[in-house]
Amino acid sequence: MSWQTVRKDPAPRVPPNLDDYDAARAAFSWSAARAELDGLPGGQGLNIAHEAVDRHVATGRGEALALRCVGRDDTVTCVTYRELARSTARFAHVLRELGVGRGDRVTTLLGRCPELYTVVLGTLKNTSVLCPLFSAFGPDPVAQRLRLGDARVLVTTAELYRRKVAGQRERLPGLRHVLIVDEGAGELPGTLAYDALTAAAPDTFAIPPTSPDDMALLHFTSGTTGTPKGAVHVHEAAVAHFATARYALDLHPDDVFWCTADPGWVTGMSYGVVAPLMHGVTVVVDEGDFDARRWYRILAEQRVGVWYTAPTALRMLMRTTPRDGPHDLPGSFDLHALRFIASVGEPLNPEAVLWGRDVLGLPVHDNWWQTETGAIMIANFAGCDIRAGSMGRPLPGVEATVLRRGEDGRALVADGRVTEVQDPGEEGELALRPGWPSMFRGYLHDERRTEAAFADGWYLTGDLVRRDADGWYWFVGRADDVIKSAGHLIGPFEVESALMEHPAVAEAGVIGRPDAVAGNVVKAFVSLRPGFEPGAPIRRELLAFGRRRLGPAVAPREIAFDQHLPHTRSGKVMRRLLRARETGLPEGDTSTLESTEGSA
Ligand code: ATP
Ligand code: MG
């Protein structure tokens, strides 16, 4: 295995929270991490909203800025911790008045507006369960999730309600209350006005006793590999959110932090709402959509220090500013406040790590986790070197391993037992030892799938990895995506990464196309950078480039050009759709496909 090492910053502006990996692991325990949280006053348990909001007010930090929300029209709305404590108290009262109580599901279908934060944390204060939906979902995925999640309350806007919910309301008998956050509630039958209700409510609220095991959040997975699953998370997850944000995102109390993920997904909730607010930092929220210039402007104007984003966004930025080209666009902004960049959600190509270093002056730190794990499990740390292309090493408190695979590509379970791989570099399924506080407590209404995710004392992630001799983890692919070709097992990510090193390639999606002789042949769908035209010459060049980089057994044998690779709404390449289209099979669940409906 070979890789490029990107050295840690020899003179960091702030001392990193983790600079000696082995020492941090040795010193860590979850019970000590739990002891750093306040818990509810009077020993009444643990509630995420108390840790994220009220405790800062109680410790004299009420005037610190919790949120800086940048509107689509660039107006900035600031919210202090004290204001957030009051608005969330009001919303908790509203729920109580409506007869919504412990464990009842409150669903949001909202853009990234200030009300969203109030609703999320107010719901948790009331010990109800928050289930966020991505606002760009179409009517069917919305109804499907409202039903699956037993939604009792929906908080949304007049327009989203009209377009996505009103027509199906009769088929959602469990949905008792719909609250409309903007104007228009009056004209919509069967809805209530959020403003009027919250204005009439008191602005203090005593959080009822909350068990760390009480359900807090319900998150649907991205649907990359199939029908989305509803993962159940509890208040105790806060312990992991706090600890992992300290180590993997290097959050310090005075930071300005921007997580670009939408709170409709687990990243946007765990690290766009809960973890940073627990740390008392200022969270930047952008209501607008991706636009390279806008993003650089927000980084500069909001003086973002720590930035958590995703490979798909980085690839879009790389498209406008190649590493070896002129850096005019980012160069025209003052990005000096920026001190740490992390990424999650998909494999981060080594090229993207180096792009960050060369274009923004900071390498990108990849980290790995899933909706099910609730928090970052494997990461590259601010105080450690980066092995470009590796997801990093397990966080303190996280025990990971690699399990030998069976015929179906998943961990081999024989008589209930699994086997850990012994040789460094051997591919297998990534597994985690249950016991970290943010582990999902099951898929809602799906015991069979929940059970299938555990074996022999391990949680099986469904992802294939290699671990090198020093304990760093390298993503190979999802067990479902791995290509078997002429006796070789090929991870699509490796092929995609190699192709992305070619200056013409903006993005690639790689699949196995069934073949009578080889079993599968590696086929790449490639989108090109501006200035490059699809055609035979570039195809020949990319095929040769792939062979040089990867060798003939792994290199793509076929290349197709596609400027619109299918992505999930959270930005991941949907290889299963490329496969279905290639083989003429049904596309399956496309509710999370990016282009099923115009963006909201
Ligand atoms: P579904 O489970 O519905 O198919 P999903 O797995 O994409 O959807 P998420 O929980 O949002 O839903 O995503 C977690 C997955 O994303 C991981 O299991 C892994 O496959 C991928 N992933 C996340 N971070 C990384 C990373 N740093 N490197 C490689 N893959 C990553
Ligand atoms: Mg998954």
Side-chain angles (χ1 to χ4, degrees), residues 118-149:
T118 296
V119 172
V120 168
L121 295 155
T123 298
L124 296 176
K125 277 191 171 176
N126 191 47
T127 64
S128 303
V129 174
L130 194 280
C131 174
L133 298 186
F134 189 40
S135 62
F137 278 145
D140 289 346
V142 168
Q144 183 193 16
R145 287 166 181 73
L146 287 171
R147 222 174 281 121
L148 259 172

mmCIF file of all heavy atoms in Angstrom, residues 118-149:
data_model
loop_
_atom_site.group_PDB
_atom_site.id
_atom_site.type_symbol
_atom_site.label_atom_id
_atom_site.label_comp_id
_atom_site.label_asym_id
_atom_site.label_seq_id
_atom_site.Cartn_x
_atom_site.Cartn_y
_atom_site.Cartn_z
ATOM 1 N N THR A 118 -35.066 26.021 16.647
ATOM 2 C CA THR A 118 -35.995 26.130 17.766
ATOM 3 C C THR A 118 -36.854 24.874 17.870
ATOM 4 O O THR A 118 -37.059 24.323 18.960
ATOM 5 C CB THR A 118 -36.893 27.370 17.562
ATOM 6 O OG1 THR A 118 -36.062 28.522 17.587
ATOM 7 C CG2 THR A 118 -37.954 27.465 18.633
ATOM 8 N N VAL A 119 -37.356 24.422 16.737
ATOM 9 C CA VAL A 119 -38.244 23.260 16.752
ATOM 10 C C VAL A 119 -37.486 22.007 17.204
ATOM 11 O O VAL A 119 -37.964 21.231 18.035
ATOM 12 C CB VAL A 119 -38.889 23.053 15.365
ATOM 13 C CG1 VAL A 119 -39.662 21.743 15.322
ATOM 14 C CG2 VAL A 119 -39.798 24.226 15.029
ATOM 15 N N VAL A 120 -36.292 21.820 16.684
ATOM 16 C CA VAL A 120 -35.507 20.637 17.046
ATOM 17 C C VAL A 120 -35.289 20.599 18.558
ATOM 18 O O VAL A 120 -35.594 19.611 19.241
ATOM 19 C CB VAL A 120 -34.130 20.641 16.326
ATOM 20 C CG1 VAL A 120 -33.201 19.586 16.911
ATOM 21 C CG2 VAL A 120 -34.310 20.434 14.821
ATOM 22 N N LEU A 121 -34.777 21.708 19.093
ATOM 23 C CA LEU A 121 -34.387 21.685 20.502
ATOM 24 C C LEU A 121 -35.580 21.816 21.430
ATOM 25 O O LEU A 121 -35.579 21.269 22.531
ATOM 26 C CB LEU A 121 -33.335 22.774 20.739
ATOM 27 C CG LEU A 121 -32.043 22.459 19.950
ATOM 28 C CD1 LEU A 121 -31.257 23.713 19.653
ATOM 29 C CD2 LEU A 121 -31.186 21.432 20.686
ATOM 30 N N GLY A 122 -36.615 22.507 20.977
ATOM 31 C CA GLY A 122 -37.845 22.596 21.772
ATOM 32 C C GLY A 122 -38.514 21.231 21.881
ATOM 33 O O GLY A 122 -39.045 20.857 22.930
ATOM 34 N N THR A 123 -38.480 20.488 20.794
ATOM 35 C CA THR A 123 -39.043 19.131 20.803
ATOM 36 C C THR A 123 -38.303 18.261 21.812
ATOM 37 O O THR A 123 -38.908 17.520 22.593
ATOM 38 C CB THR A 123 -38.938 18.525 19.389
ATOM 39 O OG1 THR A 123 -39.709 19.320 18.494
ATOM 40 C CG2 THR A 123 -39.429 17.090 19.366
ATOM 41 N N LEU A 124 -36.977 18.376 21.809
ATOM 42 C CA LEU A 124 -36.186 17.552 22.737
ATOM 43 C C LEU A 124 -36.448 17.981 24.187
ATOM 44 O O LEU A 124 -36.512 17.138 25.084
ATOM 45 C CB LEU A 124 -34.702 17.651 22.390
ATOM 46 C CG LEU A 124 -34.339 17.096 21.007
ATOM 47 C CD1 LEU A 124 -32.867 17.325 20.702
ATOM 48 C CD2 LEU A 124 -34.662 15.610 20.909
ATOM 49 N N LYS A 125 -36.623 19.288 24.386
ATOM 50 C CA LYS A 125 -36.952 19.745 25.752
ATOM 51 C C LYS A 125 -38.235 19.091 26.248
ATOM 52 O O LYS A 125 -38.367 18.756 27.417
ATOM 53 C CB LYS A 125 -37.139 21.279 25.772
ATOM 54 C CG LYS A 125 -35.846 22.048 25.879
ATOM 55 C CD LYS A 125 -36.094 23.526 26.165
ATOM 56 C CE LYS A 125 -34.763 24.203 26.488
ATOM 57 N NZ LYS A 125 -34.897 25.652 26.678
ATOM 58 N N ASN A 126 -39.165 18.929 25.336
ATOM 59 C CA ASN A 126 -40.464 18.357 25.712
ATOM 60 C C ASN A 126 -40.405 16.824 25.801
ATOM 61 O O ASN A 126 -41.429 16.191 25.985
ATOM 62 C CB ASN A 126 -41.516 18.790 24.684
ATOM 63 C CG ASN A 126 -42.920 18.469 25.124
ATOM 64 O OD1 ASN A 126 -43.290 18.748 26.267
ATOM 65 N ND2 ASN A 126 -43.703 17.868 24.247
ATOM 66 N N THR A 127 -39.206 16.257 25.621
ATOM 67 C CA THR A 127 -38.980 14.800 25.585
ATOM 68 C C THR A 127 -39.767 14.111 24.467
ATOM 69 O O THR A 127 -40.012 12.910 24.511
ATOM 70 C CB THR A 127 -39.280 14.103 26.941
ATOM 71 O OG1 THR A 127 -40.671 14.244 27.245
ATOM 72 C CG2 THR A 127 -38.438 14.657 28.068
ATOM 73 N N SER A 128 -40.152 14.897 23.459
ATOM 74 C CA SER A 128 -40.717 14.290 22.248
ATOM 75 C C SER A 128 -39.549 13.936 21.322
ATOM 76 O O SER A 128 -38.401 14.268 21.611
ATOM 77 C CB SER A 128 -41.670 15.266 21.565
ATOM 78 O OG SER A 128 -42.686 15.657 22.469
ATOM 79 N N VAL A 129 -39.855 13.293 20.211
ATOM 80 C CA VAL A 129 -38.799 12.790 19.321
ATOM 81 C C VAL A 129 -38.807 13.589 18.029
ATOM 82 O O VAL A 129 -39.851 13.765 17.405
ATOM 83 C CB VAL A 129 -39.043 11.299 19.007
ATOM 84 C CG1 VAL A 129 -38.038 10.796 17.978
ATOM 85 C CG2 VAL A 129 -38.977 10.483 20.279
ATOM 86 N N LEU A 130 -37.637 14.063 17.642
ATOM 87 C CA LEU A 130 -37.544 14.872 16.451
ATOM 88 C C LEU A 130 -37.141 14.002 15.259
ATOM 89 O O LEU A 130 -36.178 13.247 15.329
ATOM 90 C CB LEU A 130 -36.503 15.980 16.694
ATOM 91 C CG LEU A 130 -36.420 17.161 15.731
ATOM 92 C CD1 LEU A 130 -35.665 16.824 14.465
ATOM 93 C CD2 LEU A 130 -37.787 17.736 15.375
ATOM 94 N N CYS A 131 -37.891 14.138 14.179
ATOM 95 C CA CYS A 131 -37.553 13.422 12.950
ATOM 96 C C CYS A 131 -37.445 14.432 11.822
ATOM 97 O O CYS A 131 -38.453 14.976 11.363
ATOM 98 C CB CYS A 131 -38.635 12.389 12.642
ATOM 99 S SG CYS A 131 -38.373 11.594 11.047
ATOM 100 N N PRO A 132 -36.221 14.743 11.380
ATOM 101 C CA PRO A 132 -36.078 15.759 10.336
ATOM 102 C C PRO A 132 -36.238 15.152 8.942
ATOM 103 O O PRO A 132 -35.724 14.069 8.675
ATOM 104 C CB PRO A 132 -34.643 16.241 10.540
ATOM 105 C CG PRO A 132 -33.915 15.054 11.081
ATOM 106 C CD PRO A 132 -34.915 14.217 11.833
ATOM 107 N N LEU A 133 -36.929 15.850 8.074
ATOM 108 C CA LEU A 133 -36.998 15.440 6.669
ATOM 109 C C LEU A 133 -36.342 16.513 5.818
ATOM 110 O O LEU A 133 -36.485 17.704 6.096
ATOM 111 C CB LEU A 133 -38.448 15.257 6.224
ATOM 112 C CG LEU A 133 -39.249 14.187 6.946
ATOM 113 C CD1 LEU A 133 -40.617 14.034 6.302
ATOM 114 C CD2 LEU A 133 -38.507 12.853 6.935
ATOM 115 N N PHE A 134 -35.678 16.069 4.797
ATOM 116 C CA PHE A 134 -35.004 16.998 3.898
ATOM 117 C C PHE A 134 -36.075 17.720 3.087
ATOM 118 O O PHE A 134 -36.957 17.087 2.503
ATOM 119 C CB PHE A 134 -34.060 16.212 3.007
ATOM 120 C CG PHE A 134 -33.161 17.059 2.179
ATOM 121 C CD1 PHE A 134 -32.585 18.205 2.686
ATOM 122 C CD2 PHE A 134 -32.867 16.696 0.881
ATOM 123 C CE1 PHE A 134 -31.741 18.979 1.923
ATOM 124 C CE2 PHE A 134 -32.021 17.463 0.102
ATOM 125 C CZ PHE A 134 -31.455 18.601 0.618
ATOM 126 N N SER A 135 -35.999 19.055 3.040
ATOM 127 C CA SER A 135 -37.118 19.823 2.487
ATOM 128 C C SER A 135 -37.273 19.646 0.982
ATOM 129 O O SER A 135 -38.307 19.973 0.425
ATOM 130 C CB SER A 135 -36.949 21.302 2.824
ATOM 131 O OG SER A 135 -35.765 21.780 2.231
ATOM 132 N N ALA A 136 -36.273 19.107 0.314
ATOM 133 C CA ALA A 136 -36.392 18.937 -1.138
ATOM 134 C C ALA A 136 -37.037 17.602 -1.523
ATOM 135 O O ALA A 136 -37.203 17.314 -2.702
ATOM 136 C CB ALA A 136 -35.018 19.070 -1.789
ATOM 137 N N PHE A 137 -37.406 16.776 -0.543
ATOM 138 C CA PHE A 137 -38.122 15.552 -0.881
ATOM 139 C C PHE A 137 -39.440 15.884 -1.572
ATOM 140 O O PHE A 137 -40.092 16.869 -1.237
ATOM 141 C CB PHE A 137 -38.487 14.782 0.398
ATOM 142 C CG PHE A 137 -37.380 13.950 0.956
ATOM 143 C CD1 PHE A 137 -37.242 13.808 2.331
ATOM 144 C CD2 PHE A 137 -36.495 13.270 0.136
ATOM 145 C CE1 PHE A 137 -36.241 13.034 2.870
ATOM 146 C CE2 PHE A 137 -35.485 12.490 0.673
ATOM 147 C CZ PHE A 137 -35.360 12.381 2.037
ATOM 148 N N GLY A 138 -39.857 15.013 -2.482
ATOM 149 C CA GLY A 138 -41.158 15.162 -3.122
ATOM 150 C C GLY A 138 -42.263 14.601 -2.241
ATOM 151 O O GLY A 138 -41.993 14.046 -1.168
ATOM 152 N N PRO A 139 -43.527 14.732 -2.677
ATOM 153 C CA PRO A 139 -44.666 14.313 -1.853
ATOM 154 C C PRO A 139 -44.606 12.844 -1.420
ATOM 155 O O PRO A 139 -44.917 12.543 -0.266
ATOM 156 C CB PRO A 139 -45.877 14.543 -2.769
ATOM 157 C CG PRO A 139 -45.416 15.505 -3.797
ATOM 158 C CD PRO A 139 -43.942 15.355 -3.940
ATOM 159 N N ASP A 140 -44.214 11.945 -2.311
ATOM 160 C CA ASP A 140 -44.231 10.526 -1.931
ATOM 161 C C ASP A 140 -43.237 10.199 -0.827
ATOM 162 O O ASP A 140 -43.595 9.593 0.178
ATOM 163 C CB ASP A 140 -43.993 9.628 -3.147
ATOM 164 C CG ASP A 140 -45.206 9.643 -4.068
ATOM 165 O OD1 ASP A 140 -46.255 10.125 -3.606
ATOM 166 O OD2 ASP A 140 -45.085 9.218 -5.220
ATOM 167 N N PRO A 141 -41.951 10.582 -1.008
ATOM 168 C CA PRO A 141 -41.010 10.313 0.085
ATOM 169 C C PRO A 141 -41.420 10.976 1.391
ATOM 170 O O PRO A 141 -41.193 10.414 2.460
ATOM 171 C CB PRO A 141 -39.681 10.893 -0.404
ATOM 172 C CG PRO A 141 -39.842 11.168 -1.843
ATOM 173 C CD PRO A 141 -41.284 11.111 -2.203
ATOM 174 N N VAL A 142 -42.035 12.139 1.308
ATOM 175 C CA VAL A 142 -42.464 12.803 2.541
ATOM 176 C C VAL A 142 -43.538 11.963 3.218
ATOM 177 O O VAL A 142 -43.440 11.625 4.405
ATOM 178 C CB VAL A 142 -42.983 14.234 2.262
ATOM 179 C CG1 VAL A 142 -43.699 14.795 3.488
ATOM 180 C CG2 VAL A 142 -41.833 15.149 1.862
ATOM 181 N N ALA A 143 -44.552 11.565 2.441
ATOM 182 C CA ALA A 143 -45.653 10.791 3.033
ATOM 183 C C ALA A 143 -45.139 9.455 3.567
ATOM 184 O O ALA A 143 -45.515 9.019 4.664
ATOM 185 C CB ALA A 143 -46.742 10.559 1.993
ATOM 186 N N GLN A 144 -44.251 8.828 2.809
ATOM 187 C CA GLN A 144 -43.693 7.538 3.220
ATOM 188 C C GLN A 144 -43.016 7.657 4.586
ATOM 189 O O GLN A 144 -43.233 6.838 5.485
ATOM 190 C CB GLN A 144 -42.663 7.112 2.158
ATOM 191 C CG GLN A 144 -42.026 5.768 2.367
ATOM 192 C CD GLN A 144 -40.793 5.593 1.455
ATOM 193 O OE1 GLN A 144 -40.252 6.564 0.906
ATOM 194 N NE2 GLN A 144 -40.349 4.357 1.308
ATOM 195 N N ARG A 145 -42.244 8.714 4.764
ATOM 196 C CA ARG A 145 -41.525 8.871 6.033
ATOM 197 C C ARG A 145 -42.431 9.332 7.170
ATOM 198 O O ARG A 145 -42.220 8.975 8.325
ATOM 199 C CB ARG A 145 -40.346 9.824 5.848
ATOM 200 C CG ARG A 145 -39.205 9.178 5.070
ATOM 201 C CD ARG A 145 -38.192 10.203 4.598
ATOM 202 N NE ARG A 145 -37.115 9.595 3.836
ATOM 203 C CZ ARG A 145 -37.238 9.121 2.597
ATOM 204 N NH1 ARG A 145 -38.394 9.186 1.979
ATOM 205 N NH2 ARG A 145 -36.206 8.582 1.977
ATOM 206 N N LEU A 146 -43.432 10.151 6.833
ATOM 207 C CA LEU A 146 -44.369 10.570 7.882
ATOM 208 C C LEU A 146 -45.082 9.328 8.429
ATOM 209 O O LEU A 146 -45.278 9.186 9.636
ATOM 210 C CB LEU A 146 -45.401 11.556 7.331
ATOM 211 C CG LEU A 146 -44.891 12.972 7.026
ATOM 212 C CD1 LEU A 146 -45.952 13.791 6.288
ATOM 213 C CD2 LEU A 146 -44.490 13.695 8.305
ATOM 214 N N ARG A 147 -45.429 8.432 7.520
ATOM 215 C CA ARG A 147 -46.139 7.223 7.932
ATOM 216 C C ARG A 147 -45.194 6.291 8.709
ATOM 217 O O ARG A 147 -45.494 5.867 9.818
ATOM 218 C CB ARG A 147 -46.677 6.520 6.691
ATOM 219 C CG ARG A 147 -48.078 6.005 6.888
ATOM 220 C CD ARG A 147 -48.662 5.433 5.617
ATOM 221 N NE ARG A 147 -49.145 6.440 4.697
ATOM 222 C CZ ARG A 147 -48.708 6.610 3.447
ATOM 223 N NH1 ARG A 147 -47.767 5.841 2.963
ATOM 224 N NH2 ARG A 147 -49.215 7.551 2.678
ATOM 225 N N LEU A 148 -44.034 6.009 8.102
ATOM 226 C CA LEU A 148 -43.065 5.107 8.738
ATOM 227 C C LEU A 148 -42.643 5.601 10.117
ATOM 228 O O LEU A 148 -42.412 4.824 11.041
ATOM 229 C CB LEU A 148 -41.804 5.050 7.881
ATOM 230 C CG LEU A 148 -41.607 3.851 6.973
ATOM 231 C CD1 LEU A 148 -40.392 4.079 6.066
ATOM 232 C CD2 LEU A 148 -41.416 2.595 7.803
ATOM 233 N N GLY A 149 -42.525 6.926 10.240
ATOM 234 C CA GLY A 149 -42.024 7.505 11.488
ATOM 235 C C GLY A 149 -43.122 7.812 12.491
ATOM 236 O O GLY A 149 -42.855 8.390 13.531
#
